[in-house]
Amino acid sequence: MTAAALALVLAAALAHATWNYFLKRARGGAGFMTLVAIVAAVIWAPLAAGQWIHEGYEFRLVHLWPIVASAAIHTAYFILLDRGYRSGDLSVVYPLARATGPILTIAAAILVLGERPGALALAGAALVIVGAYLLTGNPLRLFSRDRPKGAGFALLTGCSIALYTVVDKIAVSHYLIPPIVFDWACLLTRSAMLLPVAGSAAALAESWRVDRRAIVLVAILSPLAYILVLTALVFTPVSLVAPAREMSILFGALMGAHFLKERDARRRIIGAGVIVLGIAGLALG
């Protein structure tokens, strides 16, 4: 992985962990997610238009399928993630969701996209995943009745991460849809998909009244994080980008420990250290 790609992915990781922190603190719900998508589409429209014109992007009908597919998967992703945060801790739901995605993404990148990452990069990816699971405690608990609250939603969220990462890689590297344009089109489509489940206009107004600060921050940081990732995907294999993104787990764990006063700081530090070693393997591989 090049230094430029690593810088993009690490910046994305920090932005990603930050918006998840604000989502955890908010009341959340379908109305919240709908407003985030609408506000984000408005905020990012000028940049999308600028990239569209600057790069001379030409829309083709075949581009609709990755846009609709990604929007649908992202809709499921946000709903599952929000449900996880309503029932579980940031330091449980976030690491599980972020670690499950790369496991499936790497397998899909190798089996579907034909990518062949080097041995050192694969070892680094494995360390990132191991570190993520260390942050959640004993992984065997995930398959028992006393698994952490929100773990089920987190695992399903991870599955959606794997799906949209592969679809979006195809969109920006095969169809060459500019990253900001692609993400903005997905935001518009996701807004339309969420509106039927968002509730009444009064419910949306109440969600805005209670959580408007978090809505705006998530609307800025969530697309920013993913646009940085999509930009890296243009010239970097998805099997390297997806695991490197999980540096956000370290940032999320620190936010949970410092701002939310969550427990087990020592275990989180160990897990974060394993993740850092994994990132080094990815960079060198």
Side-chain angles (χ1 to χ4, degrees), residues 229-265:
V229 169
L230 290 175
T231 302
L233 282 173
V234 172
F235 57 90
T236 308
V238 68
S239 54
L240 300 184
V241 171
R245 293 180 66 195
E246 307 323 310
M247 192 67 178
S248 63
I249 292 172
L250 170 58
F251 301 137
L254 291 173
M255 289 176 185
H258 182 71
F259 297 116
L260 301 179
K261 308 300 180 185
E262 295 176 348
R263 300 172 298 174
D264 297 330

Side-chain angles (χ1 to χ4, degrees), residues 6-279:
L6 188 60
L8 285 169
V9 174
L10 291 180
L14 180 58
H16 195 280
T18 303
W19 77 254
N20 273 263
Y21 166 75
F22 285 114
L23 173 58
K24 170 61 180 173
R25 292 193 60 185
R27 189 178 67 173
F32 180 96
M33 291 304 178
T34 304
L35 289 171
V36 164
I38 294 172
V39 171
V42 173
I43 290 174
W44 288 93
L47 281 176
Q51 188 178 54
W52 189 315
I53 295 170
H54 176 72
E55 297 192 13
Y57 168 61
E58 295 183 7
F59 173 78
R60 290 183 290 153
L61 195 60
V62 71
H63 294 174
L64 276 177
W65 85 257
I67 290 172
V68 173
S70 181
I73 299 168
H74 270 88
T75 298
Y77 161 79
F78 277 104
I79 291 174
L80 290 167
L81 184 62
D82 179 66
R83 291 289 298 275
Y85 284 149
R86 296 318 119 208
S87 58
D89 291 337
L90 177 67
S91 58
V92 170
V93 175
Y94 190 65
L96 272 180
R98 300 313 306 173
T100 303
I103 297 174
L104 300 175
T105 301
I106 291 171
I110 294 172
L111 297 174
V112 178
L113 301 180
E115 294 183 3
R116 293 295 180 266
L120 186 56
L122 286 175
L127 283 175
V128 170
I129 294 166
V130 169
Y133 278 105
L134 282 174
L135 285 171
T136 67
N138 181 4
L140 296 178
R141 288 183 60 205
L142 297 176
F143 306 100
S144 66
R145 291 185 177 181
D146 65 336
R147 61 180 174 268
K149 292 181 179 179
F153 288 117
L155 293 174
L156 290 173
T157 301
C159 293
S160 68
I161 291 170
L163 288 173
Y164 75 61
T165 301
V166 174
V167 171
D168 295 356
K169 166 66 175 177
I170 294 171
V172 299
S173 65
H174 178 70
Y175 291 115
L176 300 179
I177 306 175
I180 300 177
V181 174
F182 176 70
D183 194 62
W184 178 75
C186 291
L187 283 169
L188 284 180
T189 310
R190 193 168 85 228
S191 300
M193 292 177 175
L194 282 167
L195 275 173
V197 298
S200 64
L204 287 174
E206 176 64 11
S207 181
W208 176 258
R209 186 187 69 80
V210 173
D211 284 329
R212 60 179 174 272
R213 178 171 176 267
I215 288 169
V216 173
L217 288 170
V218 174
I220 294 172
L221 293 174
S222 178
L224 173 62
Y226 202 55
I227 286 166
L228 291 171
V229 169
L230 290 175
T231 302
L233 282 173
V234 172
F235 57 90
T236 308
V238 68
S239 54
L240 300 184
V241 171
R245 293 180 66 195
E246 307 323 310
M247 192 67 178
S248 63
I249 292 172
L250 170 58
F251 301 137
L254 291 173
M255 289 176 185
H258 182 71
F259 297 116
L260 301 179
K261 308 300 180 185
E262 295 176 348
R263 300 172 298 174
D264 297 330
R266 182 179 178 183
R267 173 165 52 80
R268 293 194 184 102
I269 292 172
I270 294 173
V274 174
I275 291 174
V276 171
L277 290 175
I279 294 295

